[in-house]
PDB file of all heavy atoms in Angstrom:
ATOM      1  N   LYS A   2       1.931   1.214   0.897  1.00 63.00           N
ATOM      2  CA  LYS A   2       2.796   2.407   1.007  1.00 63.00           C
ATOM      3  C   LYS A   2       3.455   2.701  -0.342  1.00 63.00           C
ATOM      4  O   LYS A   2       3.555   3.838  -0.791  1.00 63.00           O
ATOM      5  CB  LYS A   2       3.893   2.163   2.082  1.00 63.00           C
ATOM      6  CG  LYS A   2       3.456   2.490   3.496  1.00 63.00           C
ATOM      7  CD  LYS A   2       4.619   2.383   4.458  1.00 63.00           C
ATOM      8  CE  LYS A   2       4.146   2.687   5.909  1.00 63.00           C
ATOM      9  NZ  LYS A   2       5.218   2.386   6.888  1.00 63.00           N
ATOM     10  N   CYS A   8       2.179   7.204  -6.464  1.00 60.00           N
ATOM     11  CA  CYS A   8       1.202   8.243  -6.863  1.00 60.00           C
ATOM     12  C   CYS A   8       1.742   9.621  -6.537  1.00 60.00           C
ATOM     13  O   CYS A   8       1.662  10.561  -7.330  1.00 60.00           O
ATOM     14  CB  CYS A   8      -0.130   8.020  -6.110  1.00 60.00           C
ATOM     15  SG  CYS A   8      -0.987   6.575  -6.692  1.00 60.00           S
ATOM     16  N   GLU A  28       3.065  35.616 -22.167  1.00 95.00           N
ATOM     17  CA  GLU A  28       1.860  36.305 -22.604  1.00 95.00           C
ATOM     18  C   GLU A  28       2.236  37.093 -23.857  1.00 95.00           C
ATOM     19  O   GLU A  28       3.067  37.995 -23.808  1.00 95.00           O
ATOM     20  CB  GLU A  28       1.320  37.247 -21.517  1.00 95.00           C
ATOM     21  CG  GLU A  28      -0.084  37.744 -21.826  1.00 95.00           C
ATOM     22  CD  GLU A  28      -0.281  39.216 -21.459  1.00 95.00           C
ATOM     23  OE1 GLU A  28       0.532  39.732 -20.677  1.00 95.00           O
ATOM     24  OE2 GLU A  28      -1.229  39.835 -21.976  1.00 95.00           O
ATOM     25  N   LYS A  30       0.934  39.471 -26.732  1.00 96.00           N
ATOM     26  CA  LYS A  30      -0.166  40.343 -27.171  1.00 96.00           C
ATOM     27  C   LYS A  30      -0.135  40.518 -28.691  1.00 96.00           C
ATOM     28  O   LYS A  30      -1.155  40.658 -29.333  1.00 96.00           O
ATOM     29  CB  LYS A  30      -0.040  41.739 -26.519  1.00 96.00           C
ATOM     30  CG  LYS A  30      -0.736  41.890 -25.180  1.00 96.00           C
ATOM     31  CD  LYS A  30      -0.556  43.292 -24.621  1.00 96.00           C
ATOM     32  CE  LYS A  30      -1.416  44.326 -25.362  1.00 96.00           C
ATOM     33  NZ  LYS A  30      -1.240  45.694 -24.807  1.00 96.00           N
ATOM     34  N   ALA A  43      -9.807  32.009 -50.152  1.00 98.00           N
ATOM     35  CA  ALA A  43      -8.544  32.603 -50.639  1.00 98.00           C
ATOM     36  C   ALA A  43      -7.352  31.734 -50.246  1.00 98.00           C
ATOM     37  O   ALA A  43      -6.441  31.477 -51.047  1.00 98.00           O
ATOM     38  CB  ALA A  43      -8.376  34.005 -50.058  1.00 98.00           C
ATOM     39  N   ILE A  56       9.691  36.445 -59.209  1.00 99.00           N
ATOM     40  CA  ILE A  56      10.407  37.335 -60.119  1.00 99.00           C
ATOM     41  C   ILE A  56      11.172  38.365 -59.287  1.00 99.00           C
ATOM     42  O   ILE A  56      10.561  39.116 -58.513  1.00 99.00           O
ATOM     43  CB  ILE A  56       9.451  38.102 -61.059  1.00 99.00           C
ATOM     44  CG1 ILE A  56       8.671  37.146 -61.964  1.00 99.00           C
ATOM     45  CG2 ILE A  56      10.218  39.150 -61.871  1.00 99.00           C
ATOM     46  CD1 ILE A  56       9.385  36.685 -63.196  1.00 99.00           C
ATOM     47  N   THR A  88      25.344  55.120 -52.454  1.00 95.00           N
ATOM     48  CA  THR A  88      23.904  55.186 -52.743  1.00 95.00           C
ATOM     49  C   THR A  88      23.641  56.107 -53.923  1.00 95.00           C
ATOM     50  O   THR A  88      22.860  55.769 -54.819  1.00 95.00           O
ATOM     51  CB  THR A  88      23.151  55.658 -51.487  1.00 95.00           C
ATOM     52  OG1 THR A  88      23.356  54.684 -50.458  1.00 95.00           O
ATOM     53  CG2 THR A  88      21.656  55.811 -51.751  1.00 95.00           C
ATOM     54  N   GLU A 136       3.349  57.499 -55.133  1.00 98.00           N
ATOM     55  CA  GLU A 136       3.257  58.925 -54.792  1.00 98.00           C
ATOM     56  C   GLU A 136       4.146  59.272 -53.605  1.00 98.00           C
ATOM     57  O   GLU A 136       4.282  60.426 -53.220  1.00 98.00           O
ATOM     58  CB  GLU A 136       1.796  59.319 -54.516  1.00 98.00           C
ATOM     59  CG  GLU A 136       1.154  58.638 -53.327  1.00 98.00           C
ATOM     60  CD  GLU A 136      -0.286  59.122 -53.117  1.00 98.00           C
ATOM     61  OE1 GLU A 136      -0.465  60.167 -52.464  1.00 98.00           O
ATOM     62  OE2 GLU A 136      -1.188  58.440 -53.649  1.00 98.00           O
ATOM     63  N   ASP A 189      17.262  58.315 -34.114  1.00 97.00           N
ATOM     64  CA  ASP A 189      16.967  57.066 -34.855  1.00 97.00           C
ATOM     65  C   ASP A 189      15.491  56.729 -34.749  1.00 97.00           C
ATOM     66  O   ASP A 189      14.838  56.358 -35.722  1.00 97.00           O
ATOM     67  CB  ASP A 189      17.789  55.914 -34.256  1.00 97.00           C
ATOM     68  CG  ASP A 189      19.254  55.951 -34.676  1.00 97.00           C
ATOM     69  OD1 ASP A 189      19.580  56.710 -35.623  1.00 97.00           O
ATOM     70  OD2 ASP A 189      20.053  55.245 -34.048  1.00 97.00           O
ATOM     71  N   LYS A 201       3.860  51.874 -44.410  1.00 98.00           N
ATOM     72  CA  LYS A 201       2.401  51.651 -44.360  1.00 98.00           C
ATOM     73  C   LYS A 201       1.722  52.326 -45.549  1.00 98.00           C
ATOM     74  O   LYS A 201       0.884  51.727 -46.240  1.00 98.00           O
ATOM     75  CB  LYS A 201       1.851  52.219 -43.049  1.00 98.00           C
ATOM     76  CG  LYS A 201       0.374  52.038 -42.846  1.00 98.00           C
ATOM     77  CD  LYS A 201       0.007  52.545 -41.456  1.00 98.00           C
ATOM     78  CE  LYS A 201      -1.484  52.636 -41.236  1.00 98.00           C
ATOM     79  NZ  LYS A 201      -1.814  53.212 -39.910  1.00 98.00           N
ATOM     80  N   ASP A 220       9.792  40.902 -46.893  1.00 98.00           N
ATOM     81  CA  ASP A 220      11.188  40.497 -46.780  1.00 98.00           C
ATOM     82  C   ASP A 220      11.948  41.645 -46.116  1.00 98.00           C
ATOM     83  O   ASP A 220      11.398  42.729 -45.892  1.00 98.00           O
ATOM     84  CB  ASP A 220      11.754  40.215 -48.185  1.00 98.00           C
ATOM     85  CG  ASP A 220      12.953  39.289 -48.156  1.00 98.00           C
ATOM     86  OD1 ASP A 220      13.255  38.728 -47.080  1.00 98.00           O
ATOM     87  OD2 ASP A 220      13.616  39.158 -49.187  1.00 98.00           O
ATOM     88  N   GLY A 231       7.188  45.044 -32.878  1.00 95.00           N
ATOM     89  CA  GLY A 231       6.202  43.973 -33.021  1.00 95.00           C
ATOM     90  C   GLY A 231       4.779  44.476 -33.025  1.00 95.00           C
ATOM     91  O   GLY A 231       3.950  44.019 -33.812  1.00 95.00           O
ATOM     92  N   HIS A 309      22.180  37.703 -62.920  1.00 98.00           N
ATOM     93  CA  HIS A 309      23.650  37.764 -62.867  1.00 98.00           C
ATOM     94  C   HIS A 309      24.182  37.362 -64.243  1.00 98.00           C
ATOM     95  O   HIS A 309      23.725  36.354 -64.813  1.00 98.00           O
ATOM     96  CB  HIS A 309      24.216  36.824 -61.807  1.00 98.00           C
ATOM     97  CG  HIS A 309      25.656  37.127 -61.456  1.00 98.00           C
ATOM     98  ND1 HIS A 309      26.680  36.927 -62.330  1.00 98.00           N
ATOM     99  CD2 HIS A 309      26.221  37.642 -60.334  1.00 98.00           C
ATOM    100  CE1 HIS A 309      27.816  37.294 -61.766  1.00 98.00           C
ATOM    101  NE2 HIS A 309      27.584  37.733 -60.558  1.00 98.00           N
ATOM    102  N   ALA A 320      16.049  20.555 -64.613  1.00 98.00           N
ATOM    103  CA  ALA A 320      14.581  20.494 -64.533  1.00 98.00           C
ATOM    104  C   ALA A 320      14.151  19.395 -63.564  1.00 98.00           C
ATOM    105  O   ALA A 320      13.299  19.618 -62.695  1.00 98.00           O
ATOM    106  CB  ALA A 320      13.988  20.264 -65.913  1.00 98.00           C
ATOM    107  N   GLY A 335       3.375  21.821 -48.797  1.00 98.00           N
ATOM    108  CA  GLY A 335       4.032  23.099 -49.044  1.00 98.00           C
ATOM    109  C   GLY A 335       3.894  23.557 -50.488  1.00 98.00           C
ATOM    110  O   GLY A 335       3.588  22.759 -51.371  1.00 98.00           O
ATOM    111  N   TYR A 372      -1.405  19.990 -58.409  1.00 98.00           N
ATOM    112  CA  TYR A 372      -2.460  20.976 -58.113  1.00 98.00           C
ATOM    113  C   TYR A 372      -3.471  20.408 -57.114  1.00 98.00           C
ATOM    114  O   TYR A 372      -3.920  19.279 -57.252  1.00 98.00           O
ATOM    115  CB  TYR A 372      -3.201  21.377 -59.393  1.00 98.00           C
ATOM    116  CG  TYR A 372      -2.348  22.024 -60.455  1.00 98.00           C
ATOM    117  CD1 TYR A 372      -2.596  21.798 -61.806  1.00 98.00           C
ATOM    118  CD2 TYR A 372      -1.277  22.868 -60.139  1.00 98.00           C
ATOM    119  CE1 TYR A 372      -1.821  22.383 -62.796  1.00 98.00           C
ATOM    120  CE2 TYR A 372      -0.501  23.463 -61.118  1.00 98.00           C
ATOM    121  CZ  TYR A 372      -0.779  23.218 -62.447  1.00 98.00           C
ATOM    122  OH  TYR A 372      -0.007  23.799 -63.426  1.00 98.00           O
ATOM    123  N   LYS A 381       7.049   8.321 -46.336  1.00 92.00           N
ATOM    124  CA  LYS A 381       7.768   8.380 -47.606  1.00 92.00           C
ATOM    125  C   LYS A 381       8.584   7.105 -47.811  1.00 92.00           C
ATOM    126  O   LYS A 381       9.132   6.554 -46.873  1.00 92.00           O
ATOM    127  CB  LYS A 381       8.716   9.572 -47.598  1.00 92.00           C
ATOM    128  CG  LYS A 381       9.583   9.687 -48.837  1.00 92.00           C
ATOM    129  CD  LYS A 381      10.469  10.876 -48.832  1.00 92.00           C
ATOM    130  CE  LYS A 381      11.574  10.858 -49.886  1.00 92.00           C
ATOM    131  NZ  LYS A 381      11.605   9.827 -50.863  1.00 92.00           N
ATOM    132  N   MET A 399       1.664   8.253 -56.547  1.00 98.00           N
ATOM    133  CA  MET A 399       3.062   7.922 -56.238  1.00 98.00           C
ATOM    134  C   MET A 399       3.903   8.596 -57.308  1.00 98.00           C
ATOM    135  O   MET A 399       3.821   8.224 -58.481  1.00 98.00           O
ATOM    136  CB  MET A 399       3.279   6.405 -56.323  1.00 98.00           C
ATOM    137  CG  MET A 399       2.505   5.572 -55.352  1.00 98.00           C
ATOM    138  SD  MET A 399       2.559   3.810 -55.787  1.00 98.00           S
ATOM    139  CE  MET A 399       4.327   3.493 -55.882  1.00 98.00           C
ATOM    140  N   ASN A 403      13.066   7.317 -58.221  1.00 97.00           N
ATOM    141  CA  ASN A 403      14.093   6.272 -58.123  1.00 97.00           C
ATOM    142  C   ASN A 403      13.454   4.911 -58.383  1.00 97.00           C
ATOM    143  O   ASN A 403      12.715   4.404 -57.538  1.00 97.00           O
ATOM    144  CB  ASN A 403      14.715   6.264 -56.713  1.00 97.00           C
ATOM    145  CG  ASN A 403      15.070   7.674 -56.250  1.00 97.00           C
ATOM    146  OD1 ASN A 403      15.868   8.340 -56.891  1.00 97.00           O
ATOM    147  ND2 ASN A 403      14.423   8.148 -55.172  1.00 97.00           N
ATOM    148  N   LEU A 425      -0.201   3.173 -64.167  1.00 98.00           N
ATOM    149  CA  LEU A 425       0.592   4.356 -64.537  1.00 98.00           C
ATOM    150  C   LEU A 425      -0.371   5.455 -64.958  1.00 98.00           C
ATOM    151  O   LEU A 425      -1.328   5.192 -65.719  1.00 98.00           O
ATOM    152  CB  LEU A 425       1.547   4.036 -65.689  1.00 98.00           C
ATOM    153  CG  LEU A 425       2.684   3.054 -65.393  1.00 98.00           C
ATOM    154  CD1 LEU A 425       3.416   2.689 -66.682  1.00 98.00           C
ATOM    155  CD2 LEU A 425       3.663   3.656 -64.386  1.00 98.00           C
ATOM    156  N   PRO A 429      -3.677   4.495 -68.025  1.00 96.00           N
ATOM    157  CA  PRO A 429      -4.736   4.201 -67.043  1.00 96.00           C
ATOM    158  C   PRO A 429      -5.490   2.896 -67.318  1.00 96.00           C
ATOM    159  O   PRO A 429      -6.120   2.351 -66.429  1.00 96.00           O
ATOM    160  CB  PRO A 429      -5.655   5.417 -67.160  1.00 96.00           C
ATOM    161  CG  PRO A 429      -5.346   6.048 -68.467  1.00 96.00           C
ATOM    162  CD  PRO A 429      -3.917   5.729 -68.774  1.00 96.00           C
ATOM    163  N   ASP A 430      -5.392   2.396 -68.541  1.00 97.00           N
ATOM    164  CA  ASP A 430      -6.164   1.177 -68.854  1.00 97.00           C
ATOM    165  C   ASP A 430      -5.405  -0.108 -68.548  1.00 97.00           C
ATOM    166  O   ASP A 430      -5.933  -1.203 -68.714  1.00 97.00           O
ATOM    167  CB  ASP A 430      -6.549   1.200 -70.343  1.00 97.00           C
ATOM    168  CG  ASP A 430      -7.379   2.443 -70.666  1.00 97.00           C
ATOM    169  OD1 ASP A 430      -8.056   2.931 -69.722  1.00 97.00           O
ATOM    170  OD2 ASP A 430      -7.283   2.969 -71.803  1.00 97.00           O
ATOM    171  N   ASN A 440      -1.151  -6.418 -43.854  1.00 87.00           N
ATOM    172  CA  ASN A 440      -2.302  -5.519 -43.738  1.00 87.00           C
ATOM    173  C   ASN A 440      -1.927  -4.097 -44.183  1.00 87.00           C
ATOM    174  O   ASN A 440      -1.194  -3.396 -43.507  1.00 87.00           O
ATOM    175  CB  ASN A 440      -2.758  -5.491 -42.264  1.00 87.00           C
ATOM    176  CG  ASN A 440      -3.978  -4.593 -42.099  1.00 87.00           C
ATOM    177  OD1 ASN A 440      -4.327  -3.834 -43.028  1.00 87.00           O
ATOM    178  ND2 ASN A 440      -4.619  -4.692 -40.956  1.00 87.00           N
TER     179      ASN A 440
END
Side-chain angles (χ1 to χ4, degrees):
K2 274 187 181 171
C8 289
E28 192 220 342
K30 271 180 74 180
I56 298 277
T88 298
E136 64 179 275
D189 283 347
K201 181 175 170 184
D220 203 9
H309 196 292
Y372 299 145
K381 176 178 166 7
M399 297 167 55
N403 314 300
L425 293 172
D430 301 333
N440 181 348

